[in-house]
Amino acid sequence: MPSSSLLPENDPSVLFTTAGMQQFKRFYSNPEEAPAASIATCQKCIRTGDIEEVGDETHLTFFEMLGNFSFGYPEKSGSYFKKEAIEMAWEFLTGELKVEKKRISCTYFAGDKGIPEDHESHKLLKNVTGLEDAKILGTGFDETFWSLGTEGSPGGPTVEFYIDGVEIWNLVFNEYKFENGEYVASKLKGVDTGMGLERLVAVLQKRPDIYQTDIFQLQIKEIEKMSGLEYGDKSDQECDKCWVDTRKAFRIIADHIKAAVFLINEGTDPSNKTQGYVLRRLIRRAIVQGFRLNINSNFLILLPDRLYEIYKGQYQFDEKKIEGVIDGEERRFGANLKAAILEIDSYQKHFQENSSMKVDGHELFYLYQSRGLPLEIALEEIRRRGIGLEDNYHKKFNENSAEHQEKSRTASAGMFKGGLESGSEQATRYHTATHLLLAALREVLGDDVYQKGSNITTERLRFDFSHSDKMTEEQIKKVEDIVNEKIKEALPVMMEEMPVFEAKKSGAMGEFAEKYTENVKVYSIGNYSKEICGGPHVKNTSELGHFKITKEESSSSGVRRIKAILEKSQNCDN
Ligand code: ATP
Ligand code: MG
C-alpha cells in the first residue's frame, strides 16, 4: 500500500505520522476491516520527539519507514505471526541485502513487569539466524515491549535487529490487549514492523552516519559550497569542539529543510500553532544553524532543488509552493534571528563578567516576541554557551506570554486607541504596584497576609492574598493611601541577586521561595518592600501614577481578591 499522509486525517491523538503502523492501528483490534491480511509499505514519518537528537549519527526528523504488517492471525487467511516474520526478516537482511551475518545481532523480550518471556521468539531467533548466544540478547520492558498503554490497545513483545550495533529493524508482535491495567492474551494476533530506510542505507553503504549516504550527499555538498567549510574535514578547524559543532550544523540544516519541504508539500503553512508551528521551528532552527556556519545570505532556498533530484520519480513536489514558503520565512525572520543570536552573544559577555548573571523568562519572551526566536532554540543557544538560566524561566515565560495574549486581545478590541504608551510599560507599572500593595496589606491587616496569586493586564492588576474577612471600607482606604504615599515618596526600586536562603534571611517575601534552588533576584522598594521576584519593574515608584482599588471580593476560602488600577497622577494631567 502507499504511504499515508504525514498529517494523519482521522487521528486527533497525534500531530504527525510517526510510524508505518499508524494508518493501520484499527486493524489490530478490528482485523475484519483490513483490506488484506498482510501489507507492506514505505511510510513517510515525522518524529518531533527526536528533533533534539538530530545532529547525531542516526536520528532524523523526517525519515522513511519500511514496514510489513499482518492482521487477524491465525483466522484471517494470508496472515502470519512470529515464525514467518522472523524468517522473512532474516531472509531479507542476509539473502536480499546480503548483509554479512557477523555484522548482525538481535534482541528479544526476556520477561519483565509480570509479563512472561517471549520464549518463542528467542527460540526462533536461535534456529533461524544460527547466531551465537552472545548476539541474541534478552532485554526488558523498556527495550523490547511495545504498548500504547491505553485501555483496549494492542501491545506485545518485540524483536530488534541491529547491524554494526545500530538499531535497524523493529518487529512488534501484538499478542496482548491492555485491559484494566493488565496485558491479557488477545484472540487475534498481529505483526507490525518498522525499518528505517536511511539507517539501512547507511549500514549498507558502510557510512559512519546517515548524512554520508547518497540520500543526503547532494544537500551536504550544497551546504559545503555555501559555507566554504567541509563536512568531514577537521584540518582547517581551530578546535575539536568547533568541528563537532560545524558538522552538527550541517546535519541539522539538511535534516530540517527536508522535513520542512515534505510538510509544506503536504499543505502545512507556517503558523504559531500545531503543525504550522513545528514547520516554523524547523525553518528557523535551520536558519540559526546557517549563522553558525557563517552563511550570510538567504541560503535555505537553494536546498529544495537538491531534494527534488534525490526523490525524483518517488514523490511529486509542489515546487512553487515550497519555494514561496521557505523564501518568505527566510526573508521575514533571517535578520531578526541574527539579531537575537547577537543578543544572546551579549548575554554571554555579561555572564563572563559576572557569573551570577542569569537569563530569565522575560528575556526569553522578548527574544521570542520581538525577534521570533522560538523558546527551544533560545534555550539551546543559552545552554550551549553555558550561560546561567533562572530556574523558573518557564513559568515567567508563560506569564509573559499570557500577559501578551491579553494585551493583544485588548489592543485588537480597540481599547488602546491612539497608542499613548506601550502595553508592556503599563503592565510593568502594575506589576511593581503589586509589591507596594502586598506590603501595605500586611501593614494594615497583619503579618498573616501572603500573596496567593496575581494577574496583570494593561488595564488593571488583580491580586489574591490570604485573609479570611472582607476588608472594611476604612481598611481599603488606608491601603490605598499608603500605596499612594509610597508612590509620592519616589522610592527607588533596586534589584540584588542572592542565594535563596540569604533572601529569606533578609526578610524578603516570596510565596514561591521553596521552588528556588539557586540564586534569586530580590527587589526592594526603598525600605518598604522586599520580595523575591523575576521582574520587570519600574526604576522608581514615581513612575506609577495614582493607585486606586476598584474591587475587593472573595476569591476562595481564606483568600481575598483585589482589583486595582493606576490612573495618571494629577500633576501629569494638564
Ligand atoms: P531509537 O531507539 O534508535 O530512537 P526507536 O526505538 O525509536 O529507535 P522504532 O520506534 O522502533 O525506533 O522505529 C522503527 C525503526 O525506525 C527503527 O528501528 C529505526 O530504524 C527507524 N527510526 C526510528 N526513529 C528514527 C529516526 N528518528 N530517524 C531515522 N530512523 C528512525
Ligand atoms: Mg526513538
Side-chain angles (χ1 to χ4, degrees), residues 350-368:
H350 283 301
F351 182 73
Q352 280 157 356
E353 285 156 14
N354 171 9
S355 63
S356 70
M357 176 261 179
K358 282 191 177 162
V359 176
D360 70 16
H362 297 284
E363 281 145 346
L364 293 171
F365 185 72
Y366 168 78
L367 291 174
Y368 170 67

mmCIF file with all atom_site columns, all heavy atoms in Angstrom, residues 350-368:
data_model
loop_
_atom_site.group_PDB
_atom_site.id
_atom_site.type_symbol
_atom_site.label_atom_id
_atom_site.label_alt_id
_atom_site.label_comp_id
_atom_site.label_asym_id
_atom_site.label_entity_id
_atom_site.label_seq_id
_atom_site.pdbx_PDB_ins_code
_atom_site.Cartn_x
_atom_site.Cartn_y
_atom_site.Cartn_z
_atom_site.occupancy
_atom_site.B_iso_or_equiv
_atom_site.pdbx_formal_charge
_atom_site.auth_seq_id
_atom_site.auth_comp_id
_atom_site.auth_asym_id
_atom_site.auth_atom_id
_atom_site.pdbx_PDB_model_num
ATOM 1   N N   . HIS A 1 350 ? 28.150 39.423 29.305 1.00 0.00 ? 350 HIS A N   1
ATOM 2   C CA  . HIS A 1 350 ? 27.774 39.801 30.675 1.00 0.00 ? 350 HIS A CA  1
ATOM 3   C C   . HIS A 1 350 ? 28.100 38.673 31.631 1.00 0.00 ? 350 HIS A C   1
ATOM 4   O O   . HIS A 1 350 ? 28.583 38.873 32.733 1.00 0.00 ? 350 HIS A O   1
ATOM 5   C CB  . HIS A 1 350 ? 26.269 40.057 30.780 1.00 0.00 ? 350 HIS A CB  1
ATOM 6   C CG  . HIS A 1 350 ? 25.868 41.371 30.217 1.00 0.00 ? 350 HIS A CG  1
ATOM 7   N ND1 . HIS A 1 350 ? 26.367 42.570 30.674 1.00 0.00 ? 350 HIS A ND1 1
ATOM 8   C CD2 . HIS A 1 350 ? 25.011 41.682 29.223 1.00 0.00 ? 350 HIS A CD2 1
ATOM 9   C CE1 . HIS A 1 350 ? 25.835 43.547 29.982 1.00 0.00 ? 350 HIS A CE1 1
ATOM 10  N NE2 . HIS A 1 350 ? 25.003 43.044 29.089 1.00 0.00 ? 350 HIS A NE2 1
ATOM 11  N N   . PHE A 1 351 ? 27.765 37.484 31.184 1.00 0.00 ? 351 PHE A N   1
ATOM 12  C CA  . PHE A 1 351 ? 27.930 36.312 32.028 1.00 0.00 ? 351 PHE A CA  1
ATOM 13  C C   . PHE A 1 351 ? 29.403 36.080 32.358 1.00 0.00 ? 351 PHE A C   1
ATOM 14  O O   . PHE A 1 351 ? 29.754 35.718 33.481 1.00 0.00 ? 351 PHE A O   1
ATOM 15  C CB  . PHE A 1 351 ? 27.341 35.087 31.322 1.00 0.00 ? 351 PHE A CB  1
ATOM 16  C CG  . PHE A 1 351 ? 27.419 33.827 32.127 1.00 0.00 ? 351 PHE A CG  1
ATOM 17  C CD1 . PHE A 1 351 ? 26.597 33.643 33.220 1.00 0.00 ? 351 PHE A CD1 1
ATOM 18  C CD2 . PHE A 1 351 ? 28.321 32.836 31.797 1.00 0.00 ? 351 PHE A CD2 1
ATOM 19  C CE1 . PHE A 1 351 ? 26.661 32.486 33.971 1.00 0.00 ? 351 PHE A CE1 1
ATOM 20  C CE2 . PHE A 1 351 ? 28.397 31.670 32.537 1.00 0.00 ? 351 PHE A CE2 1
ATOM 21  C CZ  . PHE A 1 351 ? 27.570 31.493 33.633 1.00 0.00 ? 351 PHE A CZ  1
ATOM 22  N N   . GLN A 1 352 ? 30.267 36.310 31.375 1.00 0.00 ? 352 GLN A N   1
ATOM 23  C CA  . GLN A 1 352 ? 31.696 36.134 31.629 1.00 0.00 ? 352 GLN A CA  1
ATOM 24  C C   . GLN A 1 352 ? 32.200 37.143 32.648 1.00 0.00 ? 352 GLN A C   1
ATOM 25  O O   . GLN A 1 352 ? 33.104 36.874 33.422 1.00 0.00 ? 352 GLN A O   1
ATOM 26  C CB  . GLN A 1 352 ? 32.488 36.242 30.318 1.00 0.00 ? 352 GLN A CB  1
ATOM 27  C CG  . GLN A 1 352 ? 32.443 34.949 29.523 1.00 0.00 ? 352 GLN A CG  1
ATOM 28  C CD  . GLN A 1 352 ? 32.716 35.142 28.038 1.00 0.00 ? 352 GLN A CD  1
ATOM 29  O OE1 . GLN A 1 352 ? 32.865 36.270 27.578 1.00 0.00 ? 352 GLN A OE1 1
ATOM 30  N NE2 . GLN A 1 352 ? 32.769 34.039 27.301 1.00 0.00 ? 352 GLN A NE2 1
ATOM 31  N N   . GLU A 1 353 ? 31.576 38.348 32.633 1.00 0.00 ? 353 GLU A N   1
ATOM 32  C CA  . GLU A 1 353 ? 31.988 39.373 33.593 1.00 0.00 ? 353 GLU A CA  1
ATOM 33  C C   . GLU A 1 353 ? 31.392 39.124 34.965 1.00 0.00 ? 353 GLU A C   1
ATOM 34  O O   . GLU A 1 353 ? 31.964 39.468 35.992 1.00 0.00 ? 353 GLU A O   1
ATOM 35  C CB  . GLU A 1 353 ? 31.552 40.761 33.093 1.00 0.00 ? 353 GLU A CB  1
ATOM 36  C CG  . GLU A 1 353 ? 32.436 41.255 31.961 1.00 0.00 ? 353 GLU A CG  1
ATOM 37  C CD  . GLU A 1 353 ? 31.708 42.280 31.093 1.00 0.00 ? 353 GLU A CD  1
ATOM 38  O OE1 . GLU A 1 353 ? 30.642 42.795 31.502 1.00 0.00 ? 353 GLU A OE1 1
ATOM 39  O OE2 . GLU A 1 353 ? 32.226 42.556 29.986 1.00 0.00 ? 353 GLU A OE2 1
ATOM 40  N N   . ASN A 1 354 ? 30.199 38.554 34.982 1.00 0.00 ? 354 ASN A N   1
ATOM 41  C CA  . ASN A 1 354 ? 29.515 38.355 36.254 1.00 0.00 ? 354 ASN A CA  1
ATOM 42  C C   . ASN A 1 354 ? 28.803 37.003 36.221 1.00 0.00 ? 354 ASN A C   1
ATOM 43  O O   . ASN A 1 354 ? 27.720 36.871 35.674 1.00 0.00 ? 354 ASN A O   1
ATOM 44  C CB  . ASN A 1 354 ? 28.499 39.503 36.446 1.00 0.00 ? 354 ASN A CB  1
ATOM 45  C CG  . ASN A 1 354 ? 27.599 39.260 37.635 1.00 0.00 ? 354 ASN A CG  1
ATOM 46  O OD1 . ASN A 1 354 ? 27.819 38.341 38.429 1.00 0.00 ? 354 ASN A OD1 1
ATOM 47  N ND2 . ASN A 1 354 ? 26.559 40.061 37.759 1.00 0.00 ? 354 ASN A ND2 1
ATOM 48  N N   . SER A 1 355 ? 29.442 36.019 36.846 1.00 0.00 ? 355 SER A N   1
ATOM 49  C CA  . SER A 1 355 ? 28.955 34.651 36.672 1.00 0.00 ? 355 SER A CA  1
ATOM 50  C C   . SER A 1 355 ? 27.653 34.390 37.422 1.00 0.00 ? 355 SER A C   1
ATOM 51  O O   . SER A 1 355 ? 27.055 33.327 37.281 1.00 0.00 ? 355 SER A O   1
ATOM 52  C CB  . SER A 1 355 ? 30.018 33.643 37.095 1.00 0.00 ? 355 SER A CB  1
ATOM 53  O OG  . SER A 1 355 ? 30.270 33.815 38.477 1.00 0.00 ? 355 SER A OG  1
ATOM 54  N N   . SER A 1 356 ? 27.179 35.359 38.231 1.00 0.00 ? 356 SER A N   1
ATOM 55  C CA  . SER A 1 356 ? 25.884 35.132 38.883 1.00 0.00 ? 356 SER A CA  1
ATOM 56  C C   . SER A 1 356 ? 24.728 35.633 38.006 1.00 0.00 ? 356 SER A C   1
ATOM 57  O O   . SER A 1 356 ? 23.568 35.475 38.334 1.00 0.00 ? 356 SER A O   1
ATOM 58  C CB  . SER A 1 356 ? 25.839 35.801 40.255 1.00 0.00 ? 356 SER A CB  1
ATOM 59  O OG  . SER A 1 356 ? 25.809 37.192 40.101 1.00 0.00 ? 356 SER A OG  1
ATOM 60  N N   . MET A 1 357 ? 25.090 36.237 36.881 1.00 0.00 ? 357 MET A N   1
ATOM 61  C CA  . MET A 1 357 ? 24.053 36.736 35.974 1.00 0.00 ? 357 MET A CA  1
ATOM 62  C C   . MET A 1 357 ? 23.250 35.569 35.396 1.00 0.00 ? 357 MET A C   1
ATOM 63  O O   . MET A 1 357 ? 23.813 34.539 35.033 1.00 0.00 ? 357 MET A O   1
ATOM 64  C CB  . MET A 1 357 ? 24.752 37.522 34.853 1.00 0.00 ? 357 MET A CB  1
ATOM 65  C CG  . MET A 1 357 ? 23.840 38.031 33.778 1.00 0.00 ? 357 MET A CG  1
ATOM 66  S SD  . MET A 1 357 ? 23.884 36.940 32.355 1.00 0.00 ? 357 MET A SD  1
ATOM 67  C CE  . MET A 1 357 ? 22.743 37.676 31.248 1.00 0.00 ? 357 MET A CE  1
ATOM 68  N N   . LYS A 1 358 ? 21.935 35.766 35.361 1.00 0.00 ? 358 LYS A N   1
ATOM 69  C CA  . LYS A 1 358 ? 21.096 34.694 34.814 1.00 0.00 ? 358 LYS A CA  1
ATOM 70  C C   . LYS A 1 358 ? 20.065 35.236 33.844 1.00 0.00 ? 358 LYS A C   1
ATOM 71  O O   . LYS A 1 358 ? 19.503 36.301 34.078 1.00 0.00 ? 358 LYS A O   1
ATOM 72  C CB  . LYS A 1 358 ? 20.376 33.978 35.946 1.00 0.00 ? 358 LYS A CB  1
ATOM 73  C CG  . LYS A 1 358 ? 21.292 33.025 36.650 1.00 0.00 ? 358 LYS A CG  1
ATOM 74  C CD  . LYS A 1 358 ? 20.550 32.141 37.578 1.00 0.00 ? 358 LYS A CD  1
ATOM 75  C CE  . LYS A 1 358 ? 21.534 31.169 38.175 1.00 0.00 ? 358 LYS A CE  1
ATOM 76  N NZ  . LYS A 1 358 ? 21.066 30.539 39.359 1.00 0.00 ? 358 LYS A NZ  1
ATOM 77  N N   . VAL A 1 359 ? 19.801 34.488 32.812 1.00 0.00 ? 359 VAL A N   1
ATOM 78  C CA  . VAL A 1 359 ? 18.757 34.870 31.872 1.00 0.00 ? 359 VAL A CA  1
ATOM 79  C C   . VAL A 1 359 ? 17.428 34.386 32.435 1.00 0.00 ? 359 VAL A C   1
ATOM 80  O O   . VAL A 1 359 ? 17.342 33.275 32.959 1.00 0.00 ? 359 VAL A O   1
ATOM 81  C CB  . VAL A 1 359 ? 19.015 34.214 30.495 1.00 0.00 ? 359 VAL A CB  1
ATOM 82  C CG1 . VAL A 1 359 ? 17.880 34.513 29.537 1.00 0.00 ? 359 VAL A CG1 1
ATOM 83  C CG2 . VAL A 1 359 ? 20.344 34.687 29.933 1.00 0.00 ? 359 VAL A CG2 1
ATOM 84  N N   . ASP A 1 360 ? 16.408 35.231 32.386 1.00 0.00 ? 360 ASP A N   1
ATOM 85  C CA  . ASP A 1 360 ? 15.114 34.794 32.913 1.00 0.00 ? 360 ASP A CA  1
ATOM 86  C C   . ASP A 1 360 ? 14.030 34.765 31.828 1.00 0.00 ? 360 ASP A C   1
ATOM 87  O O   . ASP A 1 360 ? 14.289 35.069 30.666 1.00 0.00 ? 360 ASP A O   1
ATOM 88  C CB  . ASP A 1 360 ? 14.695 35.652 34.115 1.00 0.00 ? 360 ASP A CB  1
ATOM 89  C CG  . ASP A 1 360 ? 14.331 37.069 33.714 1.00 0.00 ? 360 ASP A CG  1
ATOM 90  O OD1 . ASP A 1 360 ? 14.111 37.310 32.496 1.00 0.00 ? 360 ASP A OD1 1
ATOM 91  O OD2 . ASP A 1 360 ? 14.268 37.936 34.592 1.00 0.00 ? 360 ASP A OD2 1
ATOM 92  N N   . GLY A 1 361 ? 12.843 34.377 32.267 1.00 0.00 ? 361 GLY A N   1
ATOM 93  C CA  . GLY A 1 361 ? 11.742 34.185 31.329 1.00 0.00 ? 361 GLY A CA  1
ATOM 94  C C   . GLY A 1 361 ? 11.331 35.433 30.569 1.00 0.00 ? 361 GLY A C   1
ATOM 95  O O   . GLY A 1 361 ? 10.826 35.348 29.456 1.00 0.00 ? 361 GLY A O   1
ATOM 96  N N   . HIS A 1 362 ? 11.563 36.605 31.164 1.00 0.00 ? 362 HIS A N   1
ATOM 97  C CA  . HIS A 1 362 ? 11.195 37.835 30.461 1.00 0.00 ? 362 HIS A CA  1
ATOM 98  C C   . HIS A 1 362 ? 12.073 38.037 29.246 1.00 0.00 ? 362 HIS A C   1
ATOM 99  O O   . HIS A 1 362 ? 11.614 38.409 28.172 1.00 0.00 ? 362 HIS A O   1
ATOM 100 C CB  . HIS A 1 362 ? 11.342 39.043 31.379 1.00 0.00 ? 362 HIS A CB  1
ATOM 101 C CG  . HIS A 1 362 ? 10.429 38.983 32.555 1.00 0.00 ? 362 HIS A CG  1
ATOM 102 N ND1 . HIS A 1 362 ? 9.095  39.246 32.459 1.00 0.00 ? 362 HIS A ND1 1
ATOM 103 C CD2 . HIS A 1 362 ? 10.678 38.662 33.834 1.00 0.00 ? 362 HIS A CD2 1
ATOM 104 C CE1 . HIS A 1 362 ? 8.540  39.087 33.654 1.00 0.00 ? 362 HIS A CE1 1
ATOM 105 N NE2 . HIS A 1 362 ? 9.487  38.728 34.501 1.00 0.00 ? 362 HIS A NE2 1
ATOM 106 N N   . GLU A 1 363 ? 13.378 37.777 29.463 1.00 0.00 ? 363 GLU A N   1
ATOM 107 C CA  . GLU A 1 363 ? 14.303 37.954 28.347 1.00 0.00 ? 363 GLU A CA  1
ATOM 108 C C   . GLU A 1 363 ? 14.017 36.933 27.238 1.00 0.00 ? 363 GLU A C   1
ATOM 109 O O   . GLU A 1 363 ? 14.045 37.260 26.058 1.00 0.00 ? 363 GLU A O   1
ATOM 110 C CB  . GLU A 1 363 ? 15.744 37.837 28.847 1.00 0.00 ? 363 GLU A CB  1
ATOM 111 C CG  . GLU A 1 363 ? 16.199 39.123 29.504 1.00 0.00 ? 363 GLU A CG  1
ATOM 112 C CD  . GLU A 1 363 ? 17.147 38.902 30.693 1.00 0.00 ? 363 GLU A CD  1
ATOM 113 O OE1 . GLU A 1 363 ? 17.273 37.773 31.190 1.00 0.00 ? 363 GLU A OE1 1
ATOM 114 O OE2 . GLU A 1 363 ? 17.748 39.887 31.106 1.00 0.00 ? 363 GLU A OE2 1
ATOM 115 N N   . LEU A 1 364 ? 13.709 35.726 27.684 1.00 0.00 ? 364 LEU A N   1
ATOM 116 C CA  . LEU A 1 364 ? 13.387 34.689 26.699 1.00 0.00 ? 364 LEU A CA  1
ATOM 117 C C   . LEU A 1 364 ? 12.132 35.068 25.918 1.00 0.00 ? 364 LEU A C   1
ATOM 118 O O   . LEU A 1 364 ? 12.057 34.863 24.708 1.00 0.00 ? 364 LEU A O   1
ATOM 119 C CB  . LEU A 1 364 ? 13.171 33.346 27.400 1.00 0.00 ? 364 LEU A CB  1
ATOM 120 C CG  . LEU A 1 364 ? 14.418 32.749 28.041 1.00 0.00 ? 364 LEU A CG  1
ATOM 121 C CD1 . LEU A 1 364 ? 14.043 31.538 28.894 1.00 0.00 ? 364 LEU A CD1 1
ATOM 122 C CD2 . LEU A 1 364 ? 15.429 32.354 26.979 1.00 0.00 ? 364 LEU A CD2 1
ATOM 123 N N   . PHE A 1 365 ? 11.169 35.653 26.636 1.00 0.00 ? 365 PHE A N   1
ATOM 124 C CA  . PHE A 1 365 ? 9.940  36.047 25.958 1.00 0.00 ? 365 PHE A CA  1
ATOM 125 C C   . PHE A 1 365 ? 10.209 37.178 24.963 1.00 0.00 ? 365 PHE A C   1
ATOM 126 O O   . PHE A 1 365 ? 9.662  37.213 23.865 1.00 0.00 ? 365 PHE A O   1
ATOM 127 C CB  . PHE A 1 365 ? 8.855  36.455 26.953 1.00 0.00 ? 365 PHE A CB  1
ATOM 128 C CG  . PHE A 1 365 ? 7.556  36.751 26.270 1.00 0.00 ? 365 PHE A CG  1
ATOM 129 C CD1 . PHE A 1 365 ? 6.802  35.714 25.742 1.00 0.00 ? 365 PHE A CD1 1
ATOM 130 C CD2 . PHE A 1 365 ? 7.111  38.053 26.107 1.00 0.00 ? 365 PHE A CD2 1
ATOM 131 C CE1 . PHE A 1 365 ? 5.617  35.968 25.071 1.00 0.00 ? 365 PHE A CE1 1
ATOM 132 C CE2 . PHE A 1 365 ? 5.928  38.320 25.442 1.00 0.00 ? 365 PHE A CE2 1
ATOM 133 C CZ  . PHE A 1 365 ? 5.179  37.270 24.927 1.00 0.00 ? 365 PHE A CZ  1
ATOM 134 N N   . TYR A 1 366 ? 11.084 38.081 25.373 1.00 0.00 ? 366 TYR A N   1
ATOM 135 C CA  . TYR A 1 366 ? 11.442 39.171 24.476 1.00 0.00 ? 366 TYR A CA  1
ATOM 136 C C   . TYR A 1 366 ? 12.042 38.621 23.178 1.00 0.00 ? 366 TYR A C   1
ATOM 137 O O   . TYR A 1 366 ? 11.683 39.031 22.075 1.00 0.00 ? 366 TYR A O   1
ATOM 138 C CB  . TYR A 1 366 ? 12.430 40.121 25.167 1.00 0.00 ? 366 TYR A CB  1
ATOM 139 C CG  . TYR A 1 366 ? 13.055 41.095 24.209 1.00 0.00 ? 366 TYR A CG  1
ATOM 140 C CD1 . TYR A 1 366 ? 12.344 42.209 23.771 1.00 0.00 ? 366 TYR A CD1 1
ATOM 141 C CD2 . TYR A 1 366 ? 14.338 40.881 23.718 1.00 0.00 ? 366 TYR A CD2 1
ATOM 142 C CE1 . TYR A 1 366 ? 12.905 43.085 22.852 1.00 0.00 ? 366 TYR A CE1 1
ATOM 143 C CE2 . TYR A 1 366 ? 14.908 41.747 22.808 1.00 0.00 ? 366 TYR A CE2 1
ATOM 144 C CZ  . TYR A 1 366 ? 14.190 42.842 22.373 1.00 0.00 ? 366 TYR A CZ  1
ATOM 145 O OH  . TYR A 1 366 ? 14.740 43.692 21.461 1.00 0.00 ? 366 TYR A OH  1
ATOM 146 N N   . LEU A 1 367 ? 12.961 37.672 23.329 1.00 0.00 ? 367 LEU A N   1
ATOM 147 C CA  . LEU A 1 367 ? 13.606 37.090 22.144 1.00 0.00 ? 367 LEU A CA  1
ATOM 148 C C   . LEU A 1 367 ? 12.568 36.432 21.233 1.00 0.00 ? 367 LEU A C   1
ATOM 149 O O   . LEU A 1 367 ? 12.648 36.489 20.014 1.00 0.00 ? 367 LEU A O   1
ATOM 150 C CB  . LEU A 1 367 ? 14.665 36.055 22.548 1.00 0.00 ? 367 LEU A CB  1
ATOM 151 C CG  . LEU A 1 367 ? 15.912 36.616 23.230 1.00 0.00 ? 367 LEU A CG  1
ATOM 152 C CD1 . LEU A 1 367 ? 16.805 35.476 23.702 1.00 0.00 ? 367 LEU A CD1 1
ATOM 153 C CD2 . LEU A 1 367 ? 16.677 37.541 22.291 1.00 0.00 ? 367 LEU A CD2 1
ATOM 154 N N   . TYR A 1 368 ? 11.584 35.809 21.881 1.00 0.00 ? 368 TYR A N   1
ATOM 155 C CA  . TYR A 1 368 ? 10.540 35.140 21.111 1.00 0.00 ? 368 TYR A CA  1
ATOM 156 C C   . TYR A 1 368 ? 9.615  36.157 20.453 1.00 0.00 ? 368 TYR A C   1
ATOM 157 O O   . TYR A 1 368 ? 9.358  36.110 19.255 1.00 0.00 ? 368 TYR A O   1
ATOM 158 C CB  . TYR A 1 368 ? 9.731  34.228 22.037 1.00 0.00 ? 368 TYR A CB  1
ATOM 159 C CG  . TYR A 1 368 ? 8.480  33.686 21.393 1.00 0.00 ? 368 TYR A CG  1
ATOM 160 C CD1 . TYR A 1 368 ? 8.575  32.790 20.337 1.00 0.00 ? 368 TYR A CD1 1
ATOM 161 C CD2 . TYR A 1 368 ? 7.216  34.085 21.827 1.00 0.00 ? 368 TYR A CD2 1
ATOM 162 C CE1 . TYR A 1 368 ? 7.432  32.303 19.718 1.00 0.00 ? 368 TYR A CE1 1
ATOM 163 C CE2 . TYR A 1 368 ? 6.076  33.601 21.210 1.00 0.00 ? 368 TYR A CE2 1
ATOM 164 C CZ  . TYR A 1 368 ? 6.186  32.710 20.160 1.00 0.00 ? 368 TYR A CZ  1
ATOM 165 O OH  . TYR A 1 368 ? 5.061  32.238 19.551 1.00 0.00 ? 368 TYR A OH  1
#
